[in-house]
Amino acid sequence: MEANDLAGIKALIEELGIVCPISGSRNWTDVRQFNLMFSTKVGSVSEEADTIYLRPETAQGIFVNYLNVQKTGRMKIPFGIAQIGKAFRNEIVARQFIFRMREFEQMEMQFFVRPGEELKWFEYWKETRLKWHLALGIPSENYRYHDHEKLAHYANAATDIEFNFPFGFKELEGIHSRTDFDLKRHQEFSGKKLQYFDSELNESYVPYVIETSIGLDRTFLAVFSYAYTEENLADGSQRVVMKLPRILAPFKAAVLPLVKKDGMPEKAREIMDMLKQDFRVQYDEKDAIGKRYRRQDAIGTPYCITVDTQTLEDNTVTVRERDSMEQIRISIDELTSYMHKNIKPLSL
Ligand code: GAP
């Protein structure tokens, strides 16, 4: 493989009598190199157009720009640069919903460190990134590390954070200690120095880099496949409920007048106006209350706030929690603080 001896690999497959695990066939084609990157042309005159490649990772822009960011931001090592952007790969098998796509969104960070300190920072980011995933509110048994034994040519340590997707544990995020490989290669081919002057050590060096790299679409799939639940209820009915971590739910509450009369819609609108200062809230007055609860369950709204006859008498509402379906009665004056208490921002 390392010598790129494709004919040799073909000979080995035949010699060892390797069969296709699915069809049982030995009718192999020659071993061929696949194009992993998408190419296109840039230039207005077609004969003079240059071939360019769509980026297969967002990382390289950060490498090329790191000294600009360091100088303009007056950053000292260690520091990181993170960005979100499109990446393109000519995947041979693009499938499993949005797990593997040819055009996807990556969220990457390059963290620049002193040479020799990279493995300490690698451990730091390995731990910190798992904490971030857990802070989303999905239980820890859905995650595991997969440390790489066979490392890419540019890495001296690598691990994946794997998630328990419906089709098994698969990579969600990669954390790599990429040494100084990328910066050195950019330096070599551009002829531009990419050294950092470390004023504490009074020396210049090419920093080492720890990378954290996560797919946005894959994270979306992880959260949705965890949250999507079909439940059989005690009364024999069924419901679909999106058990999204509350902080990720697109709407935090729905305000529902029990009936479309007797001043209930007006009161519900008042509550809606109060809550929308702090939260994204939906108003819904169509159909029976049970049907409206189901609609909110299906889009993962953590709380349904119902205005009924008693509301008009004592200024209280019922608050129904999505997962337990339990209802409590609380005063409208306490609603905002109740929601803040129960919808906490992520903290590591
Ligand atoms: N810069 C390092 C890098 O790109 P990677 O392990 O090849 O590392 C990082 O990709 C992350 O990007 C993966 O963990 C995954 O979440 C996401 N990813 C990679 N290929 C993907 C694809 N074809 N479709 C969707 N997400 C993908």
Side-chain angles (χ1 to χ4, degrees), residues 6-19 26-31:
L6 303 185
I9 297 170
K10 172 81 187 292
L12 203 59
I13 290 171
E14 282 169 352
E15 198 181 308
L16 296 173
I18 294 173
V19 296
R26 288 168 200 242
N27 186 18
W28 297 108
T29 62
D30 286 338
V31 177

Side-chain angles (χ1 to χ4, degrees), residues 57 59 89 91 98-101 104 106 108 171-174 176 178 211 213-215 218:
E57 58 175 8
R89 290 186 197 176
E91 298 284 4
I98 55 170
F99 182 80
R100 195 178 304 287
M101 296 188 292
F104 57 100
Q106 273 192 327
E108 295 198 300
E171 176 184 342
L172 174 57
E173 171 161 2
H176 315 114
R178 286 181 82 133
E211 169 185 73
S213 176
I214 175 169
R218 217 174 264 190

Side-chain angles (χ1 to χ4, degrees), residues 17 26 33 44 147 150 172 216 252 271 279 284 314 331:
R26 288 168 200 242
Q33 198 66 262
S44 44
D147 293 327
K150 193 167 184 320
L172 174 57
L216 176 60
K252 305 302 183 211
I271 297 173
F279 305 100
D284 189 3
D314 66 3
S331 156

Side-chain angles (χ1 to χ4, degrees), residues 66-247:
Y66 103 95
L67 266 188
N68 294 339
V69 176
Q70 184 267 322
K71 290 206 169 106
T72 52
R74 300 168 66 230
M75 305 302 291
K76 281 200 165 145
I77 270 178
F79 71 93
I81 307 174
Q83 73 167 336
I84 300 180
K86 288 277 179 213
F88 304 85
R89 290 186 197 176
N90 194 5
E91 298 284 4
I92 302 161
V93 189
R95 58 171 63 146
Q96 283 164 323
F97 306 104
I98 55 170
F99 182 80
R100 195 178 304 287
M101 296 188 292
R102 297 196 170 96
E103 176 182 345
F104 57 100
E105 195 92 14
Q106 273 192 327
M107 307 190 282
E108 295 198 300
M109 180 198 64
Q110 320 302 132
F111 194 74
F112 300 87
V113 303
R114 280 182 184 156
E117 293 190 355
E118 71 276 12
L119 294 180
K120 176 184 91 182
W121 285 109
F122 172 76
E123 288 305 324
Y124 171 86
W125 282 110
K126 187 174 158 180
E127 207 177 291
T128 305
R129 291 304 304 148
L130 183 60
K131 277 195 199 150
W132 181 87
H133 286 279
L134 296 175
L136 293 180
I138 298 177
S140 60
E141 62 269 22
N142 292 287
Y143 298 92
R144 71 180 188 198
Y145 290 121
H146 169 231
D147 293 327
H148 291 207
E149 274 160 29
K150 193 167 184 320
L151 295 167
H153 59 282
Y154 54 76
N156 67 0
T159 197
D160 296 335
I161 294 178
E162 294 186 336
F163 183 79
N164 192 10
F165 288 96
F167 35 84
F169 272 98
K170 298 267 185 228
E171 176 184 342
L172 174 57
E173 171 161 2
I175 299 152
H176 315 114
S177 174
R178 286 181 82 133
T179 67
D180 56 359
F181 176 82
D182 304 84
L183 288 176
K184 281 247 172 89
R185 295 290 276 181
H186 283 297
Q187 204 172 241
E188 193 182 326
F189 285 93
S190 67
K192 171 122 180 52
K193 274 208 167 11
L194 288 174
Q195 287 190 326
Y196 166 82
F197 177 71
D198 190 323
S199 54
E200 277 172 37
L201 299 180
N202 202 25
E203 75 180 64
S204 293
Y205 52 78
V206 174
Y208 272 44
V209 172
I210 306 302
E211 169 185 73
T212 63
S213 176
I214 175 169
L216 176 60
D217 324 79
R218 217 174 264 190
T219 310
F220 183 88
L221 182 62
V223 171
F224 268 63
S225 55
Y226 164 77
Y228 181 85
T229 316
E230 290 174 5
E231 276 183 357
N232 293 320
L233 303 179
D235 65 1
S237 65
Q238 289 183 321
R239 71 165 183 161
V240 168
V241 52
M242 210 35 119
K243 294 189 173 179
L244 292 171
R246 288 177 191 156
I247 193 70

